Amino acid sequence: MEYNVHHFGFLTTNLEKSLSGFEVLGWKLHSRCVDHNRGIELAIICKEKEQNIELIMPLHENAAVKKSASITNNFYHVCYEVENLEESISYLKSKGYIPIKAPEPAILFQNRQVVFLISKFSGMIELLEK
């Protein structure tokens, strides 16, 4: 199975300030949206010859990422693009990864299916189906 890095997730408490901070370093806004189901605002920033960064900001106290984002702005996950989501989940589960919840469509990525898994030794990852 092949796991190609698609983007790095970065939690923020202020999306505008994070966008400005990354702009100073040469990053450009590619796309932006609000995911009302998850209670988050998202932005993808790009830089030539670099992996994309996804900025994630909770919109309210009940957002799933609120507790993590309240600590500080920080890198949150690595997203891997995979050919077959179910096969990848099954394989990673056999290696000790635990799915956080069932796969669901991701608005920022044209409703392609995503799933988050966690490992004691490599933290949280996201799988994005091609």
Side-chain angles (χ1 to χ4, degrees):
M1 249 172 268
E2 192 170 311
Y3 295 90
N4 296 311
V5 173
H6 183 268
H7 68 265
F8 296 97
F10 184 86
L11 281 175
T12 181
T13 55
N14 187 313
L15 193 62
E16 296 304 323
K17 286 184 179 179
S18 289
L19 285 168
S20 295
F22 279 105
E23 267 183 15
V24 169
L25 300 170
W27 295 88
K28 304 284 185 217
L29 179 63
H30 178 267
S31 58
R32 187 172 179 171
C33 74
V34 173
D35 185 336
H36 294 286
N37 292 330
R38 296 181 185 152
I40 54 179
E41 186 170 357
L42 303 155
I44 288 288
I45 56 175
C46 303
K47 189 175 183 181
E48 192 174 328
K49 298 181 183 176
E50 300 284 344
Q51 293 297 331
N52 295 337
I53 295 176
E54 175 189 37
L55 302 176
I56 308 149
M57 181 183 76
L59 294 173
H60 50 71
E61 293 299 318
N62 296 330
V65 299
K66 178 63 178 168
K67 186 176 181 181
S68 299
S70 64
I71 298 166
T72 185
N73 296 327
N74 61 70
F75 278 94
Y76 182 55
H77 69 269
V78 177
C79 176
Y80 296 93
E81 194 170 39
V82 297
E83 288 290 336
N84 186 305
L85 194 62
E86 291 305 320
E87 276 184 24
S88 295
I89 292 168
S90 180
Y91 173 74
L92 290 171
K93 282 173 67 174
S94 76
K95 299 298 182 186
Y97 282 80
I98 302 166
I100 293 172
K101 61 190 228 180
E104 59 188 357
I107 293 170
L108 188 61
F109 302 113
Q110 298 75 45
N111 289 317
R112 291 161 51 194
Q113 292 289 305
V114 298
V115 66
F116 287 87
L117 300 101
I118 195 155
S119 163
K120 182 177 180 178
F121 300 105
S122 54
M124 188 165 64
I125 64 167
E126 177 183 19
L127 299 181
L128 171 65
E129 192 163 46
K130 279 190 179 179

